[in-house]
Amino acid sequence: YKRFPNNLLTNLLGVWQSIEGSSQSVPVAGLAYYVSPPQSLMEIISDPIHAIFYLTFILTACALFSKTWIEVSGSSAKDVAKQLKEQQMVMKGHRESSMIRELNRYIPTAAAFGGLCIGFLTVVADFLGAIGSGTGILLAVTIIYQYFEIFVKENGDKNASLLF
């Protein structure tokens, strides 16, 4: 931004302002401003368009990422149908091809809804001014839970109950 302050494209992406007494800069206009979280509840009230755009952006990004992730991670309807077939489990009244169609009705919707819920938790944490960012808190909880799952897998369920 500092190298091209008069460039239209640069200004559309974001205009930054330095914070007094700090070397940090914050976006004050442009796309970067609208995709960054509001800094306080007062800012949400004074600029609701910023808050609504941020909310919409985060929820949409989380839902789309979740739907994409099920395809990449092996959790798509086709993969689940294959896993069910390998475990000799069937859906009553459905062949494999119709089972994939039936699972396609639910799995992408559930993934998108899960992404929306995670995005909503992130936005609420950002709006309420939680220590750190909502995304940081979400990542921390996810990582800790993943370590807990590894611990349970390696040590068995009986040892895991000793933690609580």
Side-chain angles (χ1 to χ4, degrees), residues 33 37-52 54 123-124 126-129:
Y33 172 72
Q39 300 299 315
S40 65
L41 287 174
M42 194 62 199
E43 190 176 327
I44 294 170
I45 294 168
S46 65
D47 190 3
I49 294 173
H50 176 206
I52 291 169
Y54 175 71
V123 168
V124 168
D126 282 337
F127 283 175
L128 294 178

Side-chain angles (χ1 to χ4, degrees), residues 26-104:
V26 293
V28 292
L31 185 63
Y33 172 72
Y34 287 105
V35 297
S36 64
Q39 300 299 315
S40 65
L41 287 174
M42 194 62 199
E43 190 176 327
I44 294 170
I45 294 168
S46 65
D47 190 3
I49 294 173
H50 176 206
I52 291 169
F53 188 89
Y54 175 71
L55 176 76
T56 305
F57 173 74
I58 293 295
L59 293 181
T60 303
C62 287
L64 291 175
F65 181 75
S66 294
K67 285 185 79 166
T68 304
W69 184 252
I70 63 168
E71 296 296 327
V72 174
S73 68
S75 301
S76 67
K78 186 176 180 181
D79 297 325
V80 171
K82 182 180 173 186
Q83 291 168 359
L84 290 173
K85 184 179 178 185
E86 288 172 356
Q87 296 173 1
Q88 297 175 347
M89 297 176 75
V90 293
M91 289 175 64
K92 191 174 182 179
H94 293 282
R95 293 185 180 182
E96 185 177 357
S97 61
S98 67
M99 186 166 55
I100 292 171
R101 244 183 290 122
E102 191 69 24
L103 289 172
N104 257 333

